Amino acid sequence: MAQLIEELFAAAFDNEYLAQGNDGAVLAMPSAGGRLVMATDAHVVSPLFFPGGDIGCLSVHGTVNDVAVMGARPLWLAASFVLEEGFPLSDLKRIVESMANAAKSAGVSVVTGDTKVVERGKGDGVFITTTGVGVLPKGLDLSGNKATPGDVILLSGTIGDHGMAIMSKRENLAFDAPIESDTAALHGLVADMLASGSGIRVLRDPTRGGLATTLNEIAKQSGVGMQLDESSIPVRPVVDAACEFLGLDPLYIANEGKLVAICAPEDAGGLLAVMRAHPLGRESAIIGTVHADPHHFVQMKTRFGGRRNVDWLSGEQLPRIC
Amino acid sequence: MAQLIEELFAAAFDNEYLAQGNDGAVLAMPSAGGRLVMATDAHVVSPLFFPGGDIGCLSVHGTVNDVAVMGARPLWLAASFVLEEGFPLSDLKRIVESMANAAKSAGVSVVTGDTKVVERGKGDGVFITTTGVGVLPKGLDLSGNKATPGDVILLSGTIGDHGMAIMSKRENLAFDAPIESDTAALHGLVADMLASGSGIRVLRDPTRGGLATTLNEIAKQSGVGMQLDESSIPVRPVVDAACEFLGLDPLYIANEGKLVAICAPEDAGGLLAVMRAHPLGRESAIIGTVHADPHHFVQMKTRFGGRRNVDWLSGEQLPRIC
């Protein structure tokens, strides 16, 4: 079994680093180096396979995106697997191949890995932790604490798709139009945005806890308030309907292929055009602005012209959404 | 709960990288840079607390050692946690503080992390994946494929301590002398060995599968055979007794604070002296030699003067030993 798994990984992730055959991979720093970005994510999504993706590609996208939104070019991934005894090798193969394809598309190599097996009932199929390292260009300094009053908030597309794809599958909901996860690697979109020379101050991918949580985090980190315009936030009608049916708010639902960007007002138009020109940013929109606010509130003008606080999530987040 | 956990981590791992507060950490490459080493390990040890350690310090040592035996100086760790719902916060606190102490002792910073929670019965307390990155000095090139006929094999101390500490605790075995895990960070021992200028070709830590598995891996990778002398391999009498009682062979039992070194014969004496001068290498020994062998057999002269093959493990490895 151990040997089968090893052969599976070796075949799927085939690269010069894994071929070194040691417990750690030796990596040559690109000469551009100077600073690195490191990010890690545990993936425990349930079900393992869902419309639009699976835990394999998700585990690559999740970490690639965490590295990319820091402005870094993702280069290397480490992958660790916790398998439940009896997990079908055919499922593992499908997952590993999905990871390998996602890594290839994202231009990253899975350079090292580890697998552990736990007894039946002590795990749940497979959990995958990926850790990514990327190289950060000189002079670039994006961070959640850089939002400034007057700045404009952009979003790269519709919200709630990933979380509602998982929930629909879990609840066996069927809609006329299927809800698919938006899971995708955002490194290319980020690269275009950075290359445009727009004065981006903050980039972040609104995953667990959704757009509302991400914006509250940034507001707190930067010590500012935000004003959103609900009518400008793209939500697919089917996602909206599913949310209403399940009593959920799309603002709090996880995304896996979207990003939030915050920039100076004079850069917003140009940045929006660059984002819309990328396949993963076609539905990008300006969704709000940053204000001075000692309470760091995120507020929203509703579709009906009212105004409400978009607060931190008060209850529990949806479990095992990523 | 999520907030409590975050505060726990922030307090324990307090450092400039975590304080950045973003999903990825920005790291300044030391100017010595050029090459990096990256390694990852999932830790699922059961029980979580055992004589001589716990999953917290183990998860730091395991990855620090994988980086160190490549010759690199470990610098940064990423940590991901998969918690089972209902896991006592007091246990988590103990584990995280143990990680923080181990990281501090090893001179590494836990720069980024992630936590996921799974339902009761879908996990087992806590699983921890750590990923380490270190800097590899110029010109240093250790690898499992560099063992050469004539080389000498050194071991840094007794074998089987970690695995038998776990097994004894699991089986509720009581001995006059308690068996303690050898879990320790080997970066300091490795640094002394490298600084000595000895021509080390291979370093590896014999963890899962024990000394026998590690030597077979190296023999296969290097395309050589090995000849061991059983009487020179240090085993604590209490570990030997416990192994005999449970029908186990110490050669196949996991270690978490030992390393194997392979060097040219003319360097072996000097290297042994350097290893013995370090607190974690006091019981170091020369345990065998490398030979030309197209079958890549690891053979051993037994204590009784016989000769036997030290084969790859034929059955299953002890589960959840690390």
Side-chain angles (χ1 to χ4, degrees):
Chain A
M1 182 69 182
Q3 203 180 339
L4 278 174
I5 292 176
E6 198 163 309
E7 283 167 13
L8 185 64
F9 291 159
F13 297 129
D14 182 37
N15 62 54
E16 60 186 302
Y17 309 104
L18 276 181
Q20 293 168 3
N22 296 308
D23 289 342
V26 176
L27 311 164
M29 275 290 291
S31 54
R35 289 175 306 162
L36 301 170
V37 167
M38 188 173 187
T40 195
D41 260 322
H43 297 87
V44 300
V45 66
S46 171
L48 298 172
F49 301 95
F50 48 82
D54 55 63
I55 192 173
C57 64
L58 183 70
S59 71
V60 171
H61 297 153
T63 295
V64 160
N65 292 349
D66 279 347
V67 173
V69 296
M70 296 302 298
R73 187 160 63 90
L75 291 176
W76 308 299
L77 282 186
S80 99
F81 298 78
V82 176
L83 295 171
E84 187 187 9
E85 200 184 347
F87 185 63
L89 201 61
S90 55
D91 283 355
L92 183 62
K93 187 160 186 277
R94 227 175 117 192
I95 289 166
V96 168
E97 282 169 359
S98 172
M99 282 186 82
N101 287 334
K104 200 174 169 188
S105 303
V108 296
S109 300
V110 178
V111 299
T112 190
D114 186 42
T115 306
K116 296 282 156 59
V117 178
V118 297
E119 309 91 312
R120 251 176 236 264
K122 302 292 187 183
D124 193 17
V126 59
F127 303 144
I128 305 177
T129 290
T130 50
T131 306
V133 172
V135 175
L136 188 60
K138 274 178 194 157
L140 192 59
D141 192 12
L142 305 176
S143 176
N145 64 3
K146 293 192 178 293
T148 307
D151 282 356
V152 171
I153 306 167
L154 299 94
L155 174 67
S156 68
T158 57
I159 58 169
D161 300 77
H162 175 73
M164 292 319 293
I166 301 289
M167 290 306 289
S168 308
K169 171 100 182 177
R170 258 190 228 165
E171 307 283 335
N172 270 316
L173 299 183
F175 300 97
D176 287 347
I179 303 181
E180 293 213 333
S181 168
D182 60 345
T183 185
L186 296 169
H187 63 294
L189 174 60
V190 171
D192 284 2
M193 292 167 69
L194 294 175
S196 74
S198 308
I200 304 171
R201 307 201 215 265
V202 184
L203 285 182
R204 194 164 290 178
D205 51 335
T207 54
R208 260 194 304 178
L211 180 65
T213 302
T214 293
L215 292 180
N216 272 287
E217 284 170 2
I218 298 170
K220 188 181 165 194
Q221 237 181 307
S222 293
V224 296
M226 295 179 182
Q227 182 70 48
L228 308 180
D229 179 357
E230 186 173 21
S231 64
S232 68
I233 299 174
V235 185
R236 279 188 215 300
V238 65
V239 169
D240 221 9
C243 277
E244 204 170 316
F245 185 78
L246 294 171
L248 298 168
D249 183 340
L251 286 170
Y252 294 88
I253 305 298
N255 312 280
E256 291 291 343
K258 297 293 159 19
L259 58 78
V260 168
I262 297 179
C263 69
E266 61 271 22
D267 289 325
L271 186 59
L272 180 66
V274 169
M275 290 169 72
R276 284 186 171 165
H278 190 279
L280 292 176
R282 268 193 224 108
E283 296 172 271
S284 293
I286 289 174
I287 62 164
T289 48
V290 176
H291 296 275
D293 177 354
H295 302 294
H296 317 152
F297 284 147
V298 177
Q299 296 190 305
M300 185 166 77
K301 195 177 86 186
T302 69
R303 285 180 216 168
F304 312 105
R307 187 177 270 257
R308 73 168 172 102
N309 257 358
V310 177
D311 212 343
W312 294 88
L313 194 58
S314 52
E316 281 294 302
Q317 288 180 344
L318 294 175
R320 302 186 63 184
I321 216 78
C322 58
Chain B
M1 182 69 183
Q3 203 180 338
L4 277 174
I5 291 175
E6 198 164 308
E7 284 167 12
L8 186 63
F9 290 160
F13 296 130
D14 181 37
N15 62 55
E16 60 186 305
Y17 309 104
L18 276 182
Q20 293 167 4
N22 296 307
D23 289 341
V26 175
L27 311 164
M29 275 289 292
S31 54
R35 288 175 307 161
L36 301 170
V37 167
M38 187 172 186
T40 195
D41 261 321
H43 297 87
V44 299
V45 67
S46 173
L48 297 172
F49 301 93
F50 48 81
D54 56 64
I55 192 173
C57 64
L58 183 70
S59 71
V60 171
H61 297 153
T63 295
V64 160
N65 292 348
D66 280 347
V67 172
V69 295
M70 296 301 298
R73 188 160 62 91
L75 290 176
W76 308 299
L77 281 186
S80 99
F81 298 77
V82 176
L83 294 173
E84 187 186 10
E85 201 184 345
F87 185 64
L89 201 61
S90 56
D91 282 354
L92 184 61
K93 186 160 188 277
R94 225 176 118 192
I95 288 166
V96 169
E97 282 169 359
S98 172
M99 284 187 80
N101 287 334
K104 197 172 171 192
S105 303
V108 296
S109 299
V110 178
V111 298
T112 190
D114 185 42
T115 305
K116 296 280 157 59
V117 177
V118 297
E119 310 91 312
R120 250 175 238 266
K122 302 291 187 184
D124 193 17
V126 59
F127 303 144
I128 305 176
T129 290
T130 49
T131 306
V133 172
V135 175
L136 190 59
K138 275 178 192 155
L140 192 59
D141 192 12
L142 305 176
S143 177
N145 65 2
K146 294 194 177 292
T148 308
D151 281 356
V152 171
I153 307 166
L154 298 94
L155 174 68
S156 68
T158 57
I159 58 168
D161 299 76
H162 175 72
M164 293 319 293
I166 302 289
M167 292 305 290
S168 309
K169 171 101 182 179
R170 257 188 228 166
E171 308 282 336
N172 269 317
L173 298 182
F175 299 97
D176 286 348
I179 303 181
E180 293 214 333
S181 168
D182 61 345
T183 187
L186 296 169
H187 63 294
L189 174 59
V190 171
D192 284 2
M193 291 167 70
L194 293 174
S196 75
S198 308
I200 303 170
R201 306 203 216 265
V202 184
L203 284 182
R204 195 166 287 180
D205 51 335
T207 54
R208 260 195 303 179
L211 180 65
T213 301
T214 293
L215 292 180
N216 271 286
E217 283 170 3
I218 297 170
K220 187 182 167 195
Q221 238 181 307
S222 293
V224 297
M226 295 180 180
Q227 182 68 51
L228 307 180
D229 180 357
E230 186 172 21
S231 64
S232 68
I233 299 174
V235 186
R236 278 189 218 298
V238 65
V239 169
D240 221 10
C243 278
E244 204 171 316
F245 185 79
L246 294 171
L248 298 168
D249 182 339
L251 285 170
Y252 294 89
I253 306 297
N255 312 282
E256 292 290 345
K258 298 291 158 25
L259 59 79
V260 168
I262 296 180
C263 70
E266 61 272 22
D267 289 325
L271 186 57
L272 181 65
V274 169
M275 290 169 71
R276 285 187 171 164
H278 190 280
L280 292 175
R282 267 193 225 109
E283 294 172 272
S284 295
I286 289 174
I287 62 164
T289 49
V290 176
H291 295 276
D293 176 354
H295 302 292
H296 317 152
F297 284 148
V298 177
Q299 297 190 305
M300 186 167 76
K301 196 177 86 185
T302 68
R303 285 181 214 167
F304 311 106
R307 187 176 270 257
R308 72 168 173 104
N309 258 357
V310 177
D311 212 344
W312 294 88
L313 195 58
S314 53
E316 283 292 304
Q317 288 179 347
L318 294 175
R320 304 186 61 185
I321 217 76
C322 58

